[in-house]
């Protein structure tokens, strides 16, 4: 991924303090929630505290995401700046649809699943809480999985098997996102049932 794309949020402290900080706390809290035992009263109390931190981090992350959308910081535009001529008329429309419709819908699903998990936890409905918490994890984890797929795609490029131009790099970014979304949301739904 071009450095200019990776560092694009550095000039926006409000995004770093919300989206990036929220993502850091969320990414640390989620594995703890999934692996730490909840057998004793103290362990369950810790689970509630970490759960609240994860919920607060999800809210912070989402606030930052809304700032990203409001500022129009779209990945397709980043690649066009770094690799002029990357976007043809058709690809510009496709990527605009993904950036303006699909990605915000994923952000909304992230928020709704967090709210549902919190609601069922507060109501003491453990089984329903667990199902919605799993869906929430899947709704955020796809971004991490996307990065793994990008590294694989760039590894193929670096090996010399397939040269990458600007359009290839942009397609790898969005294709990796699609694989991350389908795999994480799909597996989350399987595990939630």
């Amino acid at each position: 991924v071009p450095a200019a794309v990776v560092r694009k949020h550095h000039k926006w402290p409000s995004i770093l303090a919300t989206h990036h900080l929220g993502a850091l706390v969320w990414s640390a809290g989620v594995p703890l929630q999934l692996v730490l035992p909840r057998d004793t009263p103290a362990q369950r109390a810790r689970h509630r505290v970490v759960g609240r931190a994860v919920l607060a981090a999800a809210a912070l992350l989402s606030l930052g995401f809304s700032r990203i959308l409001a500022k129009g910081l779209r990945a397709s535009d980043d690649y066009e700046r770094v690799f002029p001529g990357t976007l043809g008329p058709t690809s510009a429309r496709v990527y605009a649809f993904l950036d303006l419709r699909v990605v915000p819908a994923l952000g909304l699903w992230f928020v709704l699943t967090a709210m549902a998990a919190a609601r069922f936890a507060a109501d003491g409905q453990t089984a329903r809480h667990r199902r919605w918490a799993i869906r929430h994890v899947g709704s955020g984890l796809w971004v991490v999985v996307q990065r793994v797929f990008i590294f694989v795609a760039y590894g193929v490029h670096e090996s010399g098997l397939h040269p990458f131009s600007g359009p290839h790099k942009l397609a790898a970014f969005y294709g990796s996102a699609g694989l991350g979304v389908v795999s994480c949301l799909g597996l989350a739904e399987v595990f939630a049932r």
Side-chain angles (χ1 to χ4, degrees):
V1 178
V5 173
V6 173
R7 293 191 306 263
K8 72 178 178 181
H9 297 151
H10 287 187
K11 58 183 157 187
W12 305 103
S14 65
I15 293 172
L16 293 174
T18 54
H19 188 69
H20 291 261
L21 179 61
L24 177 69
V25 173
W26 188 89
S27 297
V30 163
L32 294 175
Q33 289 297 82
L34 296 175
V35 301
L36 292 177
R38 297 176 292 278
D39 302 323
T40 68
Q43 291 170 343
R44 286 190 292 277
R46 181 200 57 228
H47 183 76
R48 284 189 296 278
V49 168
V50 175
R52 289 181 183 118
V54 166
L55 185 61
L60 192 61
L61 189 157
S62 298
L63 176 64
F65 181 67
S66 69
R67 299 281 301 145
I68 290 168
L69 293 177
K71 292 191 177 299
L73 300 175
R74 299 174 8 192
S76 56
D77 293 338
D78 298 331
Y79 278 85
E80 181 63 30
R81 279 191 294 279
V82 175
F83 305 106
T86 295
L87 296 175
T90 302
S91 64
R93 285 191 297 276
V94 169
Y95 292 129
F97 174 77
L98 293 172
D99 285 335
L100 300 174
R101 298 289 186 260
V102 175
V103 173
L106 291 167
L108 179 61
W109 182 244
F110 180 78
V111 169
L112 293 175
T113 56
M115 292 170 59
R119 170 67 191 265
F120 292 126
D123 290 347
Q125 298 181 45
T126 306
R128 292 179 85 183
H129 162 68
R130 186 171 291 129
R131 284 195 296 273
W132 283 97
I134 290 169
R135 288 179 178 115
H136 177 68
V137 170
S139 73
L141 192 61
W142 74 266
V143 178
V144 176
V145 172
Q146 174 200 27
R147 286 0 184 226
V148 172
F149 286 131
I150 287 173
F151 289 137
V152 170
Y154 276 51
V156 169
H157 161 64
E158 292 299 322
S159 71
L161 294 174
H162 190 282
F164 264 27
S165 63
H168 290 115
K169 290 180 180 184
L170 183 61
F173 181 86
Y174 282 95
S176 297
L179 288 171
V181 167
V182 169
S183 60
C184 289
L185 269 62
L187 285 172
E189 197 55 39
V190 167
F191 286 117
R193 291 178 184 256

